[in-house]
Amino acid sequence: MAPKAILSFFFLYLLVSFSAQAQEEFSEPPARKLATVPLRTLSGGVVLLKATVNNYPDSLNFILDTGSGGISLDSTTCIELNIPLASSDKTIRGIGGIRNVKFLYNAKLHLPGLTVDSLNFHVNDYEILTSVYGIKIDGIIGYNFLSRYIVKLNYDTMLMEIFTPGELKYPRGGHLLKPLLTSIPILTLNFKEKEKYQNRFYFDTGAGLSFLLSEDYIRDSGLLKNKKKPPLLTQAEGLGGKMTMRLTTTNEVKLGPYKFKNVPTFLFDDEFNVTSYPFLGGLIGNDLLRRFNVILNYKKREIHIIPNKAFKEPFDYAYTGLGVYYVDGKVVVEDVVKGSPGEEGGFLPGDVILGIDNNYSNNIQVYKSMMQNLGNKMKFVILRNGSPEVLYLKAKSIL
């Protein structure tokens, strides 16, 4: 055989050998759809779904939260359903504090078309979340559930699809993120103020905000030292209760190839180091993440995102300085920030909001949405000391 023919035969052999090996390479079975679950979103983009626990018939409201390292139940819900709990020496840490928790061990979660067993629910007090959203929050679904499946979140159809782990073809036109993952996904983000910055952030669907930075990171990086407009004081909520934060905007936040301009940003004095500074700079929340349909594939440490119909929706730049909560069936002003539009409008803690601009629905979600309206002076009918009064408020822009 001529040398050239021998060489060609050799390359042909390598090609056939490589193809045979490639064809014999092990691959997982295809992911199989198990269930489809209806979703709804609350203010800030937080995702809510319904499920039941064990044999208790009551349908419960759960927040779907990638920022939770476990799965949990509300303490009041446990009392109402008479759920027996076991004591533990374990603690959980949130942006408002650290708490010792009890557990419901080896429990089952029943979703439409799917039962998830062998779950250990820790128990926490979610009264503050119930008052923020005006809906009873019975628990939070996090890593203990998400780590078992491939989960698709479609905000266009408001459906969650649950698949077995396995081979799954991601949709065309999106982007594949490769987070660090222990129990909470961590992404490296690029963002810009006067200069470009890069740091790691929690991917947190349970946070009803767009972007949060720790004050420690702000001080060490000098991120806002040249900001012309100073941040505004505002009220925020978390595990342990309410707290004061500062509110500003970040010039640009980049998630994969997708850029967002003038992103509302909370600045958080992280006393309990929830953001694990200096390893992390803060978190990215669901008021930004809801602008993508998302596939969570924890087994492969992959998150696929693709822009949805909310991608170009404007952010909430309205600032009132009012802390409004749903308490005992009433929408109540509990906090008024000094020097804010709320104080200038004459609001006081304890005022009950009866209506805004002729809307008397008593729906805190609707009222909060109306309070995001910039440019127009809003008419409030309130109840103060048993007597109705009319107040006017014009929200201020944080831009």
Side-chain angles (χ1 to χ4, degrees):
M1 187 178 292
K4 186 175 181 179
I6 294 174
L7 192 62
S8 298
F9 177 80
F10 177 71
F11 280 119
L12 179 61
Y13 171 79
L14 286 180
L15 180 62
V16 171
S17 176
F18 176 79
S19 298
Q21 291 174 13
Q23 290 171 5
E24 294 177 358
E25 183 180 357
F26 172 78
S27 62
E28 290 184 296
R32 179 170 51 90
K33 186 160 76 170
L34 299 171
T36 301
V37 180
L39 303 175
R40 64 173 293 189
T41 54
L42 305 177
S43 56
V46 170
V47 178
L48 196 73
L49 59 88
K50 287 187 174 293
T52 60
V53 174
N54 286 346
N55 296 320
Y56 299 99
D58 296 52
S59 182
L60 305 180
N61 293 317
F62 287 89
I63 290 174
L64 188 70
D65 186 3
T66 59
S68 168
I71 190 167
S72 60
L73 286 168
D74 173 59
S75 55
T76 303
T77 300
C78 292
I79 293 171
E80 291 172 351
L81 296 181
N82 197 26
I83 297 176
L85 303 175
S87 298
S88 79
D89 58 357
K90 294 184 179 180
T91 60
I92 56 172
R93 182 174 57 172
I95 63 174
I98 299 174
R99 290 183 177 179
N100 181 265
V101 292
K102 294 182 178 182
F103 275 84
L104 171 63
Y105 289 110
N106 198 30
K108 294 181 179 180
L109 180 74
H110 304 286
L111 295 162
L114 176 67
T115 293
V116 188
D117 58 16
S118 305
L119 292 170
N120 296 329
F121 289 81
H122 69 263
V123 177
N124 194 17
D125 182 358
Y126 294 133
E127 180 183 1
I128 186 68
L129 296 180
T130 294
S131 67
V132 167
Y133 299 119
I135 296 173
K136 180 70 168 68
I137 302 301
D138 297 295
I140 291 176
I141 295 175
Y143 179 80
N144 287 14
F145 168 81
L146 295 170
S147 60
R148 299 188 185 191
Y149 305 101
I150 298 174
V151 176
K152 290 186 177 182
L153 302 176
N154 189 321
Y155 294 98
D156 292 323
T157 61
M158 293 309 298
L159 294 172
M160 176 176 72
E161 294 179 301
I162 305 168
F163 294 78
T164 60
E167 290 298 318
L168 182 74
K169 184 178 180 180
Y170 294 120
R172 295 179 59 187
H175 181 75
L176 190 63
L177 303 169
K178 300 289 286 187
L180 297 172
L181 182 62
T182 51
S183 59
I184 301 175
I186 295 170
L187 296 175
T188 298
L189 295 183
N190 295 300
F191 57 103
K192 185 190 299 183
E193 196 49 49
K194 294 293 184 180
E195 303 175 8
K196 292 182 179 180
Y197 297 85
Q198 184 183 82
N199 210 324
R200 291 170 293 268
F201 295 87
Y202 284 132
F203 182 102
D204 191 352
T205 61
L209 50 83
S210 295
F211 198 42
L212 179 145
L213 297 170
S214 77
E215 292 277 15
D216 289 332
Y217 177 62
I218 294 295
R219 284 188 288 268
D220 288 351
S221 65
L223 178 63
L224 299 180
K225 63 183 179 182
N226 296 318
K227 194 83 171 176
K228 291 182 179 180
K229 192 172 183 177
L232 300 168
L233 290 179
T234 190
Q235 189 74 47
E237 302 83 21
L239 173 63
K242 297 179 287 186
M243 68 210 72
T244 299
M245 293 190 189
R246 297 192 296 159
L247 180 60
T248 184
T249 59
T250 299
N251 185 41
E252 179 183 282
V253 176
K254 188 177 179 183
L255 180 60
Y258 306 107
K259 297 178 181 179
F260 297 91
K261 299 288 187 180
N262 298 319
V263 177
T265 303
F266 284 84
L267 310 180
F268 167 46
D269 190 4
D270 192 0
E271 179 182 356
F272 299 98
N273 200 26
V274 176
T275 55
S276 301
Y277 183 78
F279 181 66
L280 301 176
L283 63 84
I284 184 167
N286 221 45
D287 202 27
L288 192 151
L289 298 175
R290 68 176 179 83
R291 298 160 195 270
F292 300 91
N293 291 336
V294 177
I295 300 176
L296 303 168
N297 192 341
Y298 278 21
K299 184 176 180 182
K300 289 194 172 183
R301 287 178 162 77
E302 294 176 346
I303 297 176
H304 184 270
I305 58 173
I306 187 168
N308 60 31
K309 63 185 180 183
F311 182 74
K312 294 184 178 180
E313 282 186 4
F315 289 101
D316 174 19
Y317 298 115
Y319 172 70
T320 64
L322 297 180
V324 179
Y325 302 90
Y326 192 76
V327 182
D328 296 329
K330 302 174 184 177
V331 181
V332 182
V333 176
E334 291 198 351
D335 304 284
V336 183
V337 176
K338 188 174 182 180
S340 69
E343 186 186 52
E344 293 171 0
F347 287 84
L348 296 175
D351 288 345
V352 177
I353 299 177
L354 301 178
I356 303 177
D357 288 342
N358 297 319
N359 184 305
Y360 297 92
S361 63
N362 198 41
N363 187 319
I364 190 172
Q365 299 283 319
V366 172
Y367 288 171
K368 285 186 175 182
S369 179
M370 296 179 72
M371 290 165 65
Q372 294 173 0
N373 187 10
L374 286 171
N376 296 329
K377 185 175 285 189
M378 293 170 282
K379 176 184 175 182
F380 286 70
V381 178
I382 65 153
L383 191 67
R384 180 182 294 171
N385 298 325
S387 300
E389 294 188 27
V390 175
L391 299 176
Y392 292 89
L393 173 66
K394 186 175 181 179
K396 180 179 181 180
S397 175
I398 63 173
L399 283 170

